Each structure stands twice: as C-alpha cells, then as structure tokens.
Amino acid sequence: MNAQPDRLIRATRQWATAALLVAAALQLSACATPPEVATRLADSSQPPEAEAKLGIRIAGLHLSAHGYVLDLRYRVVDKEKAAPLLNSKKKVYLLDEAHSAKLGVPESPIIGGMRQTSRNNVIYTDRDYFILFVNPGRAVRPGDVLKLAVDDTTVGELKVQ
C-alpha cells in the first residue's frame, strides 16, 4: 500500500536532481571568463603536459556539491588537440591511483553527460570549459593528486583544491 507514495517521492527527487543539474549546466555554459581571470590561467600551477597533449590550460580541479562532485575547469589553447576532449563520443575520466578508482562523468538520460562538448566542431579559445566528475563516498579530498584521461591519453598530477 505504501509502494505508490514511495515511487512518487523517488520520481520527484529524480526530477528535482535533474532540474538542478540542468540549471547548473546552463549557468556554467553561459559564463564568459573576464580578462583578469584569463591572465591568472596563464600562471596556473597545473601540469604543462595538459597543454602539450590535450591543447588545454587547466584552471583548477575543485570539490563541489559537498564533496560528491569534482569540477574541472580549463581553457582551450590549441583547438585541434582539444577536439577529442570536447567530443561527446570520447570517454573522459579522472584516475585516482591512491584509491585505485576511475571517476567518470555523470550521465543524465535527459541532458547527457555533465560536461561541455562542441557543437558542429566549433571550439572557442576565449572561454572556460567545465567537466563534472562523480566522487562517490567523497573518497577524493583536497590535496589529492589525480590524472585526467581522455580515451588513451593521460595527463597527470592534477591537484584537488
């Protein structure tokens, strides 16, 4: 007899979560980076190999959503090298060697992956892009070092802030 209200509550929670994720993604995708932030990106202490291998400059890797989400921000420097990262068909994940974990991008059946991708192969160099990764059990903490992987390409030493 209680099955109907429980199912309704679960469905309501799922829709509310999806609505919040959509709102966050729309808000983040509309953000343009001010010039003063762009100059700080050039002084980033993140690995230079990201620029050489993936054509991106990493702005930071931050914990978000009470530690259950990792938010990676980056700027495209080389459009050709960054194309695989912005391709929705490519798998992107973080490797946590300390916990032997592979942290993926959450997928919503309605809006897809929680990451920005290019439309019609248009990539901008004057914007910051984001990728959200799951952090189940809040295993990753500030100060941990992770690696970014796009299919077979791995970029290491990303420090969580």
Side-chain angles (χ1 to χ4, degrees):
M1 191 161 204
N2 288 337
Q4 189 69 15
D6 289 342
R7 199 166 47 175
L8 181 63
I9 290 171
R10 255 185 278 130
T12 304
R13 285 183 183 159
Q14 289 173 345
W15 278 103
T17 302
L20 286 172
L21 289 174
V22 168
L26 290 175
Q27 182 180 8
L28 291 173
S29 66
C31 295
T33 306
E36 62 272 7
V37 175
T39 56
R40 275 190 309 205
L41 287 174
D43 301 331
S44 177
S45 63
Q46 298 297 335
E49 70 178 312
E51 193 167 333
K53 288 183 176 180
L54 295 175
I56 61 170
R57 186 171 298 131
I58 305 232
L61 179 61
H62 303 276
L63 284 172
S64 182
H66 294 287
Y68 288 102
V69 174
L70 289 160
D71 182 358
L72 175 70
R73 300 293 174 111
Y74 64 94
R75 179 174 289 254
V76 173
V77 177
D78 184 342
K79 293 179 184 182
E80 291 177 12
K81 289 181 183 177
L85 183 63
L86 293 164
N87 185 343
S88 62
K89 294 184 185 347
K90 301 285 184 176
K91 294 288 183 185
V92 179
Y93 47 90
L94 289 174
L95 297 173
D96 181 10
E97 293 177 348
H99 298 102
S100 300
K102 187 189 258 189
L103 309 174
V105 176
E107 296 278 334
S108 167
I110 298 171
I111 60 172
M114 296 288 110
R115 66 184 248 208
Q116 286 178 294
T117 56
S118 63
R119 288 187 181 176
N120 302 324
N121 295 324
V122 177
I123 300 173
Y124 300 99
T125 57
D126 62 343
R127 297 184 185 165
D128 282 349
Y129 290 89
F130 74 92
I131 303 175
L132 301 178
F133 297 93
V134 294
N135 184 17
R138 300 190 301 187
V140 175
R141 308 271 180 182
D144 287 354
V145 177
L146 306 176
K147 292 183 178 183
L148 174 65
V150 181
D151 281 341
D152 296 331
T153 306
T154 304
V155 177
E157 309 305 317
L158 296 174
K159 190 171 184 179
V160 179
Q161 300 170 353

